[in-house]
Amino acid sequence: MEISLNGKKTDIDEGLSLIELIEQKGLEPERIVVEYNHQVLSKEHWDKTILKEGDNLEVLRFVGGG
Amino acid sequence: MYDKLVIGGREINSRLLVGTGKFPSNSIIPDVIMGSGAQIVTVALRRIDFDSEDENMLNYIPQNCILLPNTSGARNAEEAVRIARLARASGCGNLIKIEVISDNKYLLPDNQETIKATDILSKEGFVVLPYMSPDLMAAKRLVDAGAAAVMPLGAPIGTNKGLKTREMIKILINEIELPIIVDAGLGKPSEACEAMELGAAAVLVNTAIATAKDPVAMAEAFALAVKAGRKAFLSGTGAVKEYAEASSPLTGFLA
């Protein structure tokens, strides 16, 4: 099924939870933030959130800045 | 002498804040932060690029630092609020530097949208540090909107031009009760010192350190300059006079 991940159409497995996707991508959960369908989603909800077709995910991390 | 910077009720032990952008390599950032003595360190929030290997900035910032995420990339208040909420969800605390910019040539902040974002975020419990063009009325509105400090620019971001807005910043220092933190444009330690001598509560420096030939030594130089400037301000600088005034008595000369 297809979701939008950081603005790109991305194919993922059905029934995948958000935390599973994050792990698949090799990211450290404690170092990133997620906006799920335009709402900030705190970390305690990541394992309960099962991704659905058409979901919009923004995954961000800190970079250098002034 | 008791002279601590207090932001949002929290004592800050350094009046030099540093940014983490534009360094030739992230690996020198820990030494830069150490050399600067900074406790508050700014970072930005960006989308992860899944197609490239990227490092996490947080791995380079010492644990005892206070993170100050900025809202760079925001073009209006709504976007700034969105970025601020995301930043807080990372668990890095409730400090936020509001940066709302829609002018790509000079990167000058939009004061009106900045005031709006400050109002919303301060009500949500953020400690809001707004980056702004030095204007007294806008600064007063930021105070009313619940800002914890006001951060006027010395010159456009990344220009290293120095304290070009000196007179306007002086007015803010005189009239605004909150800490005034000069942010952006300071290119040399002497300029940071000048801002501190005027009575700025702190300065935020990024490009001048990041683009120096030796960023770690430059961070140390800025730290010394900020301390010198603060001490000079607290000591009360002498009056400027039009004509010469001899340092020794004008009597008792040899005949």
Side-chain angles (χ1 to χ4, degrees), chain B:
Chain B
M1 189 188 330
Y2 179 85
D3 179 41
K4 278 276 164 67
L5 170 63
V6 178
I7 293 175
R10 188 161 179 183
E11 275 191 9
I12 306 299
N13 61 27
S14 171
R15 291 177 182 272
L16 173 59
L17 285 60
V18 296
T20 54
K22 296 189 213 163
F23 281 91
S25 146
N26 285 343
S27 59
I28 65 166
I29 289 178
D31 288 339
V32 165
I33 294 172
M34 189 80 85
S36 72
Q39 188 180 7
I40 296 183
V41 176
T42 59
V43 288
L45 204 54
R46 289 289 181 275
R47 274 176 168 172
I48 289 173
D49 178 2
F50 294 105
D51 299 329
S52 80
E53 191 75 31
D54 61 4
E55 299 178 300
N56 201 304
M57 178 54 63
L58 297 187
N59 298 334
Y60 297 93
I61 299 177
Q63 292 285 317
N64 55 351
C65 287
I66 299 170
L67 278 191
L68 174 58
N70 67 35
T71 65
S72 67
R75 288 155 297 177
N76 53 46
E78 196 187 336
E79 289 176 2
V81 167
R82 182 181 174 198
I83 297 168
R85 288 174 181 158
L86 274 164
R88 184 160 67 176
S90 75
C92 71
N94 59 356
L95 246 65
I96 190 78
K97 170 179 160 180
I98 306 284
E99 193 177 318
V100 181
I101 293 172
S102 52
D103 157 50
N104 289 329
K105 188 170 180 187
Y106 295 103
L107 299 177
L108 291 173
D110 182 331
N111 282 351
Q112 207 173 334
E113 291 294 306
T114 302
I115 295 163
K116 254 195 256 176
T118 300
D119 189 45
I120 296 167
L121 292 170
S122 66
K123 289 190 176 104
E124 292 183 13
F126 283 87
V127 172
V128 183
L129 288 83
Y131 170 60
M132 55 104 63
S133 277
D135 171 82
L136 179 60
M137 299 323 293
K140 287 188 174 181
R141 291 193 176 109
L142 286 169
V143 175
D144 294 342
V150 175
M151 303 214 289
L153 60 99
I157 293 172
T159 59
N160 285 343
K161 283 188 172 180
L163 201 58
K164 294 297 168 196
T165 55
R166 183 191 161 99
E167 295 306 314
M168 293 298 122
I169 285 180
K170 208 165 149 184
I171 293 171
L172 299 192
I173 290 168
N174 290 340
E175 302 300 321
I176 301 294
E177 293 285 319
L178 294 175
I180 301 296
I181 302 173
V182 178
D183 180 8
L186 299 177
K188 295 195 283 286
S190 57
E191 294 154 359
C193 186
E194 184 184 0
M196 297 306 294
E197 280 173 357
L198 276 184
V203 297
L204 197 164
V205 180
N206 185 354
T207 304
I209 295 173
T211 62
K213 213 190 283 177
D214 182 343
V216 177
M218 188 57 84
E220 290 167 4
F222 266 97
L224 293 169
V226 167
K227 280 192 189 131
R230 181 66 185 175
K231 198 153 192 174
F233 170 72
L234 294 175
S235 311
T237 45
V240 175
K241 294 191 175 165
E242 187 66 22
Y243 300 109
E245 200 175 275
S247 304
S248 307
L250 290 171
T251 55
F253 291 116
L254 283 174

Side-chain angles (χ1 to χ4, degrees), chain A residues 18-19 22-23 26-34 41-44 46 59-62, chain B residues 45 48 56-59 63 67 86-93:
Chain A
L18 177 54
I19 191 76
I22 288 167
E23 281 161 5
L27 303 171
E28 297 168 79
E30 61 279 8
R31 299 291 203 202
I32 60 172
V33 287
V34 170
L41 194 66
S42 56
K43 293 185 173 68
E44 63 263 27
W46 292 1
V59 184
L60 302 99
R61 68 21 192 130
F62 286 113
Chain B
L45 204 54
I48 289 173
N56 201 304
M57 178 54 63
L58 297 187
N59 298 334
Q63 292 285 317
L67 278 191
L86 274 164
R88 184 160 67 176
S90 75
C92 71

